[in-house]
Amino acid sequence: MASSEQNEVEEKGSLISGLLDKAKGFFAEKLANIPTPEATVDDVDFKGVTREGVDYHAKVSVKNPYPQSIPICQISYILKSDTRMIASGTIPDPGSLVANGTTVLDVPVKVPYSIAVSLMKDMCLDWDIDYQLDIGLTIDIPVVGDITIPVSTQGEIKLPSLRDFF
């Protein structure tokens, strides 16, 4: 008798285990197919010179597929030139993404003078800075939680000449 009860318990355990596996697969599939916001870097421009350093601004477009606005937790960035990090920072709580639309975010990047001077070798050759900008956009999606959308771009920032100042 004990063996028939044991077989029955094993069969029920196997049935429950199978159901749990199916439920897990169902939820994993549904979570994998949840649309997420998409981001692209549209432009990186020289903005100006201040007492602290050189200012650049990156314009990042973020498309929100949801019918409600999504809060942005933070924006983090790293600006590299010739594989050297020349600027990094975090912008806490920059606002929200508009519902069913595209939000353009302005990411200010400040390069201190001490680092700008070390870039002179690259600047003297062709009067531009070859760069790579890595941005992490952390948003709070209901039910799913915080996710970070990585965005990266490479290019050249043309430096202003004296003619641009006068």
Side-chain angles (χ1 to χ4, degrees):
M1 283 246 168
S3 67
S4 68
E5 287 178 5
Q6 185 177 3
N7 286 342
E8 188 177 318
V9 169
E10 286 177 5
E11 286 177 16
K12 286 182 181 179
S14 175
L15 179 65
I16 291 172
S17 175
L19 287 173
L20 287 175
D21 286 342
K22 285 182 182 180
K24 219 178 354 178
F26 174 77
F27 285 114
E29 182 182 319
K30 291 298 179 189
L31 283 176
N33 293 328
I34 290 177
T36 57
E38 298 175 7
T40 57
V41 177
D42 295 332
D43 194 20
V44 178
D45 282 328
F46 170 80
K47 197 66 171 183
V49 178
T50 64
R51 284 188 231 153
E52 293 83 32
V54 180
D55 291 339
Y56 296 95
H57 284 249
K59 295 212 180 300
V60 180
S61 294
V62 186
K63 183 178 178 186
N64 179 6
Y66 297 110
Q68 67 271 1
S69 65
I70 298 177
I72 304 171
C73 300
Q74 73 177 18
I75 299 172
S76 55
Y77 63 87
I78 297 173
L79 179 64
K80 297 176 187 174
S81 177
D82 195 26
T83 68
R84 293 179 303 185
M85 183 176 72
I86 59 174
S88 66
T90 301
I91 303 168
D93 194 23
S96 295
L97 302 177
V98 298
N100 283 331
T102 301
T103 304
V104 178
L105 302 170
D106 189 32
V107 181
V109 178
K110 292 187 180 285
V111 178
Y113 282 122
S114 59
I115 295 175
V117 169
S118 71
L119 294 174
M120 289 301 261
K121 184 190 302 181
D122 182 34
M123 292 177 357
C124 289
L125 295 175
D126 51 8
W127 206 244
D128 65 18
I129 297 174
D130 300 320
Y131 72 89
Q132 176 179 341
L133 179 62
D134 299 322
I135 297 175
L137 181 66
T138 305
I139 58 174
D140 183 18
I141 296 181
V143 179
V144 176
D146 289 356
I147 64 166
T148 300
I149 302 170
V151 184
S152 185
T153 188
Q154 296 180 348
E156 294 179 344
I157 300 173
K158 291 290 182 188
L159 298 172
S161 63
L162 289 176
R163 189 176 320 164
D164 297 327
F165 290 109
F166 300 106

